[in-house]
Amino acid sequence: MRAHVVVIGAGYAGAMAAKRLLRTRSDVTVTVVNPRPHFVQRIRLHQMIAAGYDATVSFDRALPRTAHRVFGEVTTIEAALSRLTLDDGSVLDYDYLVYAVGSRQLSSTIAGAAEHGFSVSEFEDAVRLESRLATLDEKAAVCVVGGGLTGIETAAELAEHRSNRITLVTGGIVAADLSERARSAVLRTLSDLGADIVTESRVTRIDGSSCELAGGIRVEAECTILATEFGVPELARRSGLPVDALGRLKLDDRLECPSYPNIVGAGDAVAVGDLSLRMSCQAAIPLGVHSAETILHRLNGSAPRPVVPKFAGRCISLGRRRGVFQRTARVDDATGIFIAGRVGAFVKERVCSSTTDWAITPRRSLFYSWT
């Protein structure tokens, strides 16, 4: 009897799960449910909005031809019945479910953010932002809110490719998770690119011409880009599945949902046992493969293996010509080793390219899992 596996989400985790399943067994049917008909290179969206990079890959290249494709949003998972409902009212039954719905930027509590804020967190957000940037005068002021890696990369890319005045504002410090020396390299490069940096200053209000900071100071901004905290869709919580405080689906260390073992998960939208896993394609790709391997073990009647994190580093692009690679321990803590400048940019580009060159698009993928 053929097992039917439904994969919700065709990002880095979902695409790798589908590929691993279909490349390993011929008696498995895989249906991939995704809201859009292409794979999005999310780690390239800041390049898309600044310099027109094509951040999409067709599913003809990203997924095996034998994968069934359904385009739409899953509204409810009925775990007790092993079925789900889509936004068009259609229903899909499954034997196994891979929950890989990804993450998105949380709705901002900043006053005026909904009306005047832009984002680079999802493809549709990036398209909207790209259109807005195209309307700006070349000397118009742009403010990027958020001192994490997304905010840094967005500010640097804009500063290198556009003549707009770029300001990066953060409520804390820039690149808080890097070592002190790596952080200094990031700050120097942002300054060299002409970006202004405002730290320890929380944005309280956004309008069409400025950002207001907590002390009442205004930063001129005809376009404000929010690169703040990420969250996850409400699908698991809405479906009555066990979730953590952030709404991530709770899994054991084999990536199975304890309440419903035929539901496995991967990527940003899951919480794996007691592990603290950073939202990143560096985690999503091996977790996607591992989720497929857990299903394959169950189909074979063998015990799945636990996840063992094997982080390698944090890569930050600072425009196209410079970057920083921060070496980390396997558990993702920053070490004293880092690479900056042109070599850092080379390493970052090779890492980004590898996610599609050997993982997503090749006919025969090199599967990387945390086992």
Side-chain angles (χ1 to χ4, degrees), residues 211-234:
C211 293
E212 183 177 337
L213 307 184
I217 297 173
R218 287 184 175 272
V219 175
E220 186 179 353
E222 293 181 46
C223 176
T224 298
I225 303 168
L226 300 172
T228 48
E229 188 177 5
F230 274 55
V232 299
E234 288 289 306

Side-chain angles (χ1 to χ4, degrees), residues 189-201:
T189 303
L190 286 171
S191 179
D192 289 346
L193 288 169
D196 294 322
I197 302 170
V198 180
T199 62
E200 308 287 353
S201 299

Side-chain angles (χ1 to χ4, degrees), residues 17-352:
K19 291 167 78 74
R20 177 62 167 161
L21 288 164
L22 289 170
R23 295 272 167 80
T24 306
R25 291 183 62 136
S26 60
D27 60 344
V28 174
T29 299
V30 175
T31 299
V32 179
V33 182
N34 198 60
R36 57 187 73 88
H38 50 250
F39 173 83
V40 175
Q41 299 183 70
R42 194 176 190 180
I43 55 177
R44 301 282 197 182
L45 289 179
H46 62 290
Q47 298 175 31
M48 170 183 153
I49 60 103
Y53 188 97
D54 184 1
T56 65
V57 176
S58 73
F59 277 157
D60 289 337
R61 296 180 61 213
L63 293 175
R65 287 178 296 178
T66 50
H68 299 287
R69 308 164 193 178
V70 175
F71 303 122
E73 293 271 3
V74 176
T75 56
T76 308
I77 300 168
E78 297 177 86
L81 300 175
S82 294
R83 71 183 184 192
L84 51 84
T85 303
L86 277 72
D87 51 1
D88 64 0
S90 60
V91 174
L92 278 175
D93 296 313
Y94 60 84
D95 296 305
Y96 291 92
L97 179 69
V98 179
Y99 188 85
V101 298
S103 60
R104 60 188 59 172
Q105 190 164 292
L106 289 174
S107 297
S108 178
T109 58
I110 299 172
E115 298 83 4
H116 303 289
F118 292 83
S119 171
V120 72
S121 67
E122 293 191 89
F123 179 73
E124 291 77 12
D125 297 328
V127 169
R128 178 172 170 261
L129 173 56
E130 186 178 33
S131 297
R132 172 57 180 156
L133 291 171
T135 69
L136 296 181
D137 179 85
E138 63 177 14
K139 296 300 182 183
V142 176
C143 182
V144 180
V145 182
L149 302 193
T150 301
I152 293 166
E153 292 191 328
T154 301
E157 200 77 22
L158 290 169
E160 181 177 277
H161 289 282
R162 298 178 61 90
S163 56
N164 301 106
R165 290 172 289 145
I166 309 298
T167 302
L168 177 65
V169 178
T170 178
I173 62 174
V174 173
D177 293 329
L178 302 188
S179 66
E180 186 61 41
R181 291 176 62 219
R183 184 182 308 116
S184 295
V186 169
L187 292 172
R188 283 196 304 272
T189 303
L190 286 171
S191 179
D192 289 346
L193 288 169
D196 294 322
I197 302 170
V198 180
T199 62
E200 308 287 353
S201 299
R202 184 170 57 89
V203 176
T204 58
R205 180 178 297 276
I206 300 170
D207 58 32
S209 60
S210 67
C211 293
E212 183 177 337
L213 307 184
I217 297 173
R218 287 184 175 272
V219 175
E220 186 179 353
E222 293 181 46
C223 176
T224 298
I225 303 168
L226 300 172
T228 48
E229 188 177 5
F230 274 55
V232 299
E234 288 289 306
L235 177 59
R237 191 192 304 276
R238 190 168 60 241
S239 300
L241 295 171
V243 298
D244 69 358
L246 298 178
R248 297 177 299 180
L249 176 65
K250 284 186 175 181
L251 306 174
D252 61 24
D253 62 2
R254 299 164 302 185
L255 302 186
E256 294 177 315
C257 177
S259 306
Y260 301 97
N262 66 332
I263 297 179
V264 301
D268 293 352
V270 302
V272 183
D274 296 326
L275 299 176
S276 178
L277 301 178
R278 171 166 49 99
M279 291 182 178
S280 63
C281 69
Q282 186 175 170
I285 288 174
L287 288 178
V289 175
H290 199 109
S291 68
E293 290 176 346
T294 291
I295 294 173
L296 292 169
H297 275 291
R298 291 304 186 192
L299 291 173
N300 292 333
S302 56
R305 298 175 181 177
V307 168
V308 180
K310 297 177 183 176
F311 284 101
R314 298 175 186 238
C315 297
I316 308 102
S317 65
L318 300 169
R320 296 294 82 222
R321 296 187 293 272
R322 283 173 281 186
V324 168
F325 172 75
Q326 167 73 72
R327 187 75 170 89
T328 66
R330 290 162 63 106
V331 293
D332 208 29
D333 294 329
T335 70
I337 302 171
F338 76 99
I339 301 169
R342 291 186 179 274
V343 178
F346 174 80
V347 173
K348 165 69 174 182
E349 178 55 33
R350 292 313 305 150
V351 169
C352 289

